[in-house]
Amino acid sequence: MKSSLPYHHVTHTLFNISTKRHSSSTTLDIFRNVRSAEQVHSFNAAQLKAADDQTQGDVFPWLKGLPEVIITGRANSGKSSLFNAVLGRKDLIKTSSKAGKTRRLDFFRVGDAPGKLILVDSPGYGDRGRPEWGLLFDSYVQKRKELRRVYITFNARHPINVRDQQMLAHLSRTLFEALSTSWASSLESGNPRLPRITQIQPVITKADHLPASTTEAQLVVDRLKKEVHNAVRDALEGSETGRIGVSSVELAKLMCLSPLVTTLKMNPPFGIENVRKNIVEACSLTG
Ligand SMILES: Nc1nc2c(ncn2[C@@H]2O[C@H](COP(=O)(O)OP(=O)(O)OP(=O)(O)O)[C@@H](O)[C@H]2O)c(=O)[nH]1
Ligand SMILES: [Mg+2]
């Protein structure tokens, strides 16, 4: 079995892709009782189909309007494991070495009831994904007002592939359409307000699989960062971003954040505090 990288190696990589710093006291506050997190709901493709016949709106459960973040990524890229780590739990969420474990949207409340925010785990895409899971994810991203940020995982061991590019393209167009619609309605209301951009946060998981040389590891991270950004930029080029007064290049920069790097094969797991801070910031809960 391949041994884990030395701690300093991944630390170095993480520092080099410098991420925004946030007040850690608020983060600690929100995640202080992280172990009290609970699953508060789940929603599967069959429920979506049944509900869609009744309404065109948000069909997902009302969770007191708490801010939500959702995670996506290729099947088996480590989405559910990452959320377990963020929640300081080993197996609140079921994980598996076999792709296709998560088959529905699962909603987890962070903190004691009524909670501060909701993490939404979702099924993976790619060869082991299913079309109905894609519809479920799409419906959530298109309709959910509480959505604050979309996390997308990339296994450090695998280069980005065409399915990742398709997902990034689809996601950025969907988020742009939502932005454009809320801009149009704010114009109509006679009270134009710059809409909030729902951002995409890439997360490189399984960083223990990055090459052992720091330079090579950095190259992998930089390449992924560039490819993800380019996929978003190219997708937005085909959208009429001028409608909201920005170029596709500008919007891509605003919409797609720099990747975070994590590995759970260290004790304690690496990069998790940064993911927590990022979630807290996405939910506008920083003090
Ligand atoms: N080496 C390594 N393996 C990891 C890491 N994180 C998760 N894994 C493993 O990756 C496998 C898949 O993890 P999951 O969290 O179930 O992945 P998922 O993306 O939720 O998978 P699906 O629900 O099937 O789409 C499991 O065997 C985990 O133990 C990590 O940081 N390093
Ligand atoms: Mg999963």
Side-chain angles (χ1 to χ4, degrees), residues 74-81 94-102 123-124 205-209 262-265:
R74 249 190 277 169
N76 203 241
S77 56
K79 302 177 291 298
S80 302
S81 306
K94 298 245 179 345
T95 64
S96 166
S97 57
K98 284 211 322 236
K101 182 70 181 172
T102 309
T205 53
K206 313 193 190 186
D208 45 296
H209 288 307
T262 63
T263 168
L264 308 185
K265 296 288 172 188

Side-chain angles (χ1 to χ4, degrees), residues 18-275:
S18 76
T19 52
K20 224 165 118 193
R21 305 263 154 235
H22 312 286
S23 124
S24 56
S25 60
T26 321
T27 309
L28 284 178
D29 235 32
I30 287 168
F31 282 92
R32 186 186 298 138
N33 289 334
V34 70
R35 298 184 71 80
S36 64
E38 256 184 54
Q39 177 157 4
V40 284
H41 232 287
S42 68
F43 204 88
N44 65 28
Q47 285 170 287
L48 175 70
K49 200 166 178 311
D52 262 352
D53 293 341
Q54 318 266 321
T55 167
Q56 292 301 306
D58 177 355
V59 296
F60 301 101
W62 165 250
L63 299 174
K64 305 190 169 64
L66 290 174
E68 296 180 1
V69 299
I70 192 166
I71 194 161
T72 184
R74 249 190 277 169
N76 203 241
S77 56
K79 302 177 291 298
S80 302
S81 306
L82 181 69
F83 270 2
N84 271 333
V86 164
L87 294 172
R89 303 281 279 270
K90 273 237 151 0
D91 48 17
L92 177 65
I93 315 178
K94 298 245 179 345
T95 64
S96 166
S97 57
K98 284 211 322 236
K101 182 70 181 172
T102 309
R103 292 157 173 251
R104 56 188 195 187
L105 300 185
D106 286 315
F107 297 75
F108 299 91
R109 187 201 67 220
V110 174
D112 292 323
K116 297 281 190 200
L117 59 95
I118 304 282
L119 305 183
V120 187
D121 191 20
S122 82
Y125 61 82
D127 294 342
R128 296 300 179 86
R130 289 196 192 158
E132 65 268 28
W133 296 346
L135 293 177
L136 188 61
F137 177 79
D138 275 358
S139 176
Y140 175 90
V141 173
Q142 281 161 7
K143 295 172 187 161
R144 192 66 163 173
K145 295 269 181 299
E146 288 82 1
L147 175 62
R148 293 291 181 269
R149 189 164 288 171
V150 180
Y151 291 78
I152 178 163
T153 48
F154 297 93
N155 181 340
R157 187 141 68 157
H158 304 302
I160 170 169
N161 72 9
V162 71
R163 307 302 288 272
D164 294 315
Q165 284 166 334
Q166 284 167 347
M167 173 50 110
L168 286 162
H170 181 66
L171 195 52
S172 37
R173 287 196 199 108
T174 304
L175 296 175
F176 166 69
E177 282 311 321
L179 190 63
S180 174
T181 307
S182 59
W183 175 237
S185 59
S186 97
L187 280 180
E188 262 169 40
S189 73
N191 179 24
R193 278 214 335 222
L194 202 63
R196 184 178 46 76
I197 298 176
T198 304
Q199 291 169 308
I200 300 169
Q201 175 63 67
V203 182
I204 298 176
T205 53
K206 313 193 190 186
D208 45 296
H209 288 307
L210 282 172
S213 132
T214 303
T215 319
E216 281 176 42
Q218 186 65 57
L219 280 176
V220 173
V221 172
D222 289 347
R223 191 183 314 128
L224 185 122
K225 175 177 171 175
K226 198 162 163 226
E227 286 176 349
V228 167
H229 180 81
N230 289 351
V232 171
R233 186 203 56 204
D234 293 353
L236 292 175
E237 239 167 52
S239 308
E240 291 171 40
T241 60
R243 272 193 270 159
I244 58 165
V246 291
S247 70
S248 53
V249 173
E250 285 165 332
L251 186 58
K253 276 193 199 140
L254 292 169
M255 192 181 273
C256 184
L257 299 165
S258 281
L260 299 172
V261 179
T262 63
T263 168
L264 308 185
K265 296 288 172 188
M266 282 185 183
N267 197 6
F270 186 83
I272 299 307
E273 201 49 31
N274 276 339
V275 177

